[in-house]
Amino acid sequence: YKRVAVVVPDGPFMRKKDYFNEVLKGYDVFTTNCKYQFAEFPVKEYYQPFNIQIQIEKHRDLTIGHSVFVKSKEREKGSKHILNIARETGADVDFIHDLNWYDNLKRKARCHIFVDQIDHYDAHVFGWNGGIGKSGLEAMLLDCLVLSWGNFEGRELPAPPIAWCDKDTFEEVLSYYIFHKKERDEKIAAQKEWALKYLNPDFCAKRILQIK
């Protein structure tokens, strides 16, 4: 083939940086926004595409959501700290785990605020700067206000307008959007607009395949 495109969607690039930098150089590489910091050659941003067809109906009372695929993954997102702080706000909290994708989405769609991640148990080992994962991208399409750890500039694409925070600022940022509904709604609208454009399957496919 004249061109080989490689998509790196998750964590191995971080954990085996030297290996992947060696075997992938020379290819046209796309990697998630939170992992391109580990590339020692030019890479392009990759956001997972979604075609979510689900009715969005929010809980009556303000609800903060957080999810992990399985409960054993809590330490990879800082879940314990997220849940402790969220419950202290007095809002309802929905901790979503051990569900199939569709049932996870239905629960997430009922939340008003969604926290992707604020920590990682061994990020310091690799110098990881955080980012936004698949769960947070889904939540933007489901009209949730999304918070996550990190802050970065876009490269070829504009950076998603996440409510960025870290473990130390999480409580402050969360409280701000709980008590400032106008700003929360504006941020939700900006996130949804970004997600509809840049997480669109056609947009993502055409970009990787270099179709105008």
Side-chain angles (χ1 to χ4, degrees):
Y1 297 93
K2 293 182 178 179
R3 173 178 179 259
V4 176
V6 179
V7 176
V8 183
D10 213 332
F13 209 154
M14 175 176 75
R15 299 181 180 281
K16 298 180 180 180
K17 184 180 76 169
D18 292 341
Y19 170 77
F20 281 105
N21 274 293
E22 178 63 28
V23 301
L24 295 180
K25 65 183 179 183
Y27 295 117
D28 197 359
V29 178
F30 293 78
T31 183
T32 54
N33 60 81
C34 62
K35 298 301 186 295
Y36 63 54
Q37 72 174 93
F38 300 105
E40 296 172 355
F41 55 88
V43 298
K44 299 181 179 67
E45 293 163 297
Y46 172 75
Y47 293 100
Q48 293 93 332
F50 297 98
N51 182 15
I52 297 176
Q53 302 293 329
I54 192 169
Q55 183 176 351
I56 300 174
E57 184 177 344
K58 301 297 181 181
H59 288 291
R60 184 187 64 181
D61 297 325
L62 183 73
T63 302
I64 302 168
H66 174 63
S67 73
V68 292
F69 177 61
V70 291
K71 205 168 184 293
S72 60
K73 297 286 187 179
E74 288 182 71
R75 67 178 187 156
E76 295 185 11
K77 293 192 173 188
S79 298
K80 183 176 180 180
H81 189 67
I82 290 171
L83 296 171
N84 287 342
I85 295 298
R87 287 165 180 153
E88 287 176 2
T89 67
D92 291 341
V93 177
D94 188 7
F95 180 33
I96 307 165
H97 56 86
D98 296 283
L99 292 177
N100 63 54
W101 185 61
Y102 182 69
D103 289 338
N104 182 302
L105 289 180
K106 287 195 296 183
R107 288 265 293 273
K108 192 182 299 182
R110 303 207 68 195
C111 298
H112 301 83
I113 296 174
F114 183 81
V115 185
D116 188 322
Q117 57 192 9
I118 62 164
D119 198 7
H120 191 287
Y121 72 100
D122 65 351
H124 63 283
V125 175
F126 308 101
W128 186 45
N129 297 322
I132 182 71
K134 180 176 73 69
S135 194
L137 298 176
E138 293 168 349
M140 286 198 286
L141 287 165
L142 297 172
D143 294 345
C144 301
L145 183 281
V146 180
L147 287 76
S148 195
W149 163 39
N151 193 358
F152 58 89
E153 299 295 328
R155 291 187 174 189
E156 304 85 19
L157 304 177
I162 304 300
W164 296 111
C165 62
D166 57 30
K167 189 174 182 179
D168 295 328
T169 62
F170 169 58
E171 183 174 9
E172 177 185 355
V173 175
L174 178 62
S175 296
Y176 176 84
Y177 284 107
I178 287 175
F179 294 108
H180 292 80
K181 186 178 186 303
K182 178 176 178 290
E183 288 78 4
R184 183 173 76 238
D185 289 343
E186 289 174 350
K187 193 73 163 176
I188 289 171
Q191 291 181 346
K192 182 69 172 281
E193 181 180 9
W194 183 94
L196 287 172
K197 181 174 182 178
Y198 296 110
L199 305 182
N200 180 285
D202 286 341
F203 174 87
C204 295
K206 287 178 179 177
R207 187 162 177 270
I208 292 173
L209 296 174
Q210 295 183 338
I211 298 173
K212 296 295 185 180

